[in-house]
Amino acid sequence: DTGVSQDPRHKITKRGQNVTFRCDPISEHNRLYWYRQTLGQGPEFLTYFQNEAQLEKSRLLSDRFSAERPKGSFSTLEIQRTEQGDSAMYLCASSFRRDGSGELFFGEGSRLTVL
Amino acid sequence: AQSVTQLDSQVPVFEEAPVELRCNYSSSVSVYLFWYVQYPNQGLQLLLKYLSGSTLVKSINGFEAEFNKSQTSFHLRKPSVHISDTAEYFCAVSSLNNNDMRFGAGTRLTVKP
């Protein structure tokens, strides 16, 4: 399967712990996006990478959140000192177009539950 | 910045009936419009998109959407739905110079036998 893969699919953690999610995009895609989705809402943009450069961050991405894409391939999203409000589905998507017309290919998401 | 409003959070419909899922957007620049579908326990996948040209776009499974610039709408329609169309449908907007795609809150389509 050559789609976008995310790991882990589910993560349960206690408040205050750190968590890290990994995303492997489609190999030829140079753009990688992170979105967050809560119950009853559509995906909300968090950040995006063009190759290894993080070019845009939403104000939803507080200082506790950090994302990297070290070699322009896979990406990680780390949440430090998790809070119950961080409970959500974290979606990764990739694209190969250089403008907004490109289709986003989504992974199945990583569901975070903060107790 | 662009935004999207999906006017119906849930749409129940009987099998073989027609359906329309409504989507309105706001933007100060030219837009690209998308409908994504999320089947239970699966990731979002593209259903259809409008980039330019003909305002009526169609998917391979019988859905169609029409871009209406004057009404800033991109409603999704299907003349006869199947049980297998039960899913969450998301309208999304982006533009030439925007790096993020903005999504609506979604419409849950439930097709009943």
Side-chain angles (χ1 to χ4, degrees), chain A residues 26 46 53 61 65 75 94 105 114:
Chain A
I26 294 172
L46 293 178
L61 216 64
F65 287 70
S75 176
S94 68
F105 292 80
V114 182

Side-chain angles (χ1 to χ4, degrees), chain A residues 9 31 33 35 37 40-45 48 55-56 91 97-109, chain B residues 32 34 36 38 41-46 49 51 88 90 94-106 108:
Chain A
R9 294 289 310 281
R31 285 191 164 196
Y33 300 77
Y35 283 81
Q37 186 177 18
Q41 298 297 318
E44 298 173 292
F45 171 77
Y48 114 94
L55 298 186
E56 190 164 337
L91 302 174
R97 291 294 296 270
R98 298 182 66 84
D99 61 27
S101 67
E103 172 185 355
L104 297 187
F105 292 80
F106 282 87
E108 294 184 344
Chain B
Y32 305 123
F34 305 79
Y36 281 80
Q38 186 171 30
N41 300 314
Q42 294 186 26
L44 281 84
Q45 54 189 280
L46 182 69
K49 63 183 177 183
L51 302 182
E88 187 99 24
F90 295 94
S94 70
S95 67
L96 182 66
N97 297 318
N98 257 25
N99 297 316
D100 61 335
M101 187 176 290
R102 300 293 178 96
F103 288 81
R108 181 171 299 278

